[in-house]
Amino acid sequence: MAFEGLAERLQGTFDKIKSRGVVTEADVKEMMREVRLALLEADVNFKVVKKFVNDVKERATGQEVMKSLTPGQQVIKVVNEELTNLMGKEQSKIAVSSKSPTVVMMVGLQGAGKTTTTAKLAQFLRKKNNRKPLMAAADVYRPAAIKQLETLGTELSMPVFSMGDQVSPVEIATRSVEQAKEDHQDYVLIDTAGRLHLDETLMDELVNIKEAVNPDEILLVVDAMTGQDAVNVAESFNEQLGITGVVLTKLDGDTRGGAAISVKAVTDKPIKFAGTGEKIDALEVFHPERMASRILG
Ligand code: GDP
């Protein structure tokens, strides 16, 4: 599972300081040095680490003293709170439009898990939120993507809107929203195309789809295994398209997880869901606080 290495290191660092009655400034400095190294080793973006360490130092040496805690515990408390802040403070829900259907655009690089996550999210909305989602197959470039979504739709007994791969994605997206209105489906999840790398053509097309369907939510699907690339990808998509949230996939894998933590910090957009396996029900609502507690023990 992701974050195991980071959790182990931070907990080790904290154990050293926890029991002490007197904590000197040098102790705090040494501890923050170790926290910094642990974060960098876990692949957290260096800019994010720098800001994190400064924020903690500022607060820990400030006046926030709680009588019931030892000085060591106080520093740990600040680290805990800042780590939670870093991952997004509060849990952030998926958008729901006052005017049905709610339109959700799924974007991301090829292989990130977009198509799988589209189906996972459709299933989630139906099961947990009692919604009626329509999935739309607008990834016309990856030959198997349309079929993949149709197969998932059949497995889940969930409708999939497709027009083959000879129609423009903008048209597919537009028509899918009309179809959802007609059929009284209250969500449309549009699976868009990805490329192996960021490129302008891809981004232009996504911008065109966005303009055509005016989505309530643009979810960027990011592969947590891709390290610092994930951070760059998120920055680009956010700048050029304006995402509204992030889904981190493959958190079940052997990832150090740090890049994932950084995505929220660099985009300032919430992580809404986490993918934790290949199965359709392996999608979890992302809880920043719980994730921080898991890391800090
Ligand atoms: P797309 O190109 O972005 O549409 O990617 P796909 O949805 O086809 O997914 C690419 C691969 O990643 C597939 O083999 C999926 O089963 C796998 N995958 C997606 N999400 C997860 C996840 O959360 N965990 C794991 N282990 N695999 C995932």
Side-chain angles (χ1 to χ4, degrees), residues 168-226:
S168 86
V170 172
E171 167 127 24
I172 298 173
T174 310
R175 293 278 299 276
S176 73
V177 177
E178 287 165 6
Q179 187 74 47
K181 269 186 205 152
E182 247 171 60
D183 298 344
H184 304 289
Q185 304 286 129
D186 50 17
Y187 268 85
V188 187
L189 310 182
I190 304 170
D191 183 24
T192 64
R195 301 266 204 288
L196 287 175
H197 301 284
L198 287 165
D199 72 47
E200 241 170 78
T201 325
L202 165 72
M203 217 50 94
D204 287 348
E205 184 178 289
L206 294 175
V207 169
N208 290 339
I209 298 177
K210 177 183 176 179
E211 281 169 3
V213 299
N214 192 20
D216 302 285
E217 184 95 80
I218 302 180
L219 289 180
L220 174 67
V221 179
V222 183
D223 180 343
M225 304 280 287
T226 55

Side-chain angles (χ1 to χ4, degrees), residues 107-118 120 139 142 145 148 152 191-195 221 223 225 247-253 274-279 282-283:
V107 302
L109 291 188
Q110 201 173 95
K114 228 177 317 92
T115 304
T116 313
T117 305
T118 302
K120 283 180 175 180
D139 181 355
R142 184 162 68 89
Q148 188 184 341
L152 287 165
D191 183 24
T192 64
R195 301 266 204 288
V221 179
D223 180 343
M225 304 280 287
V247 182
L248 289 176
T249 61
K250 311 187 194 178
L251 275 184
D252 51 309
T276 53
E278 292 193 73
K279 295 219 175 78
L283 183 77

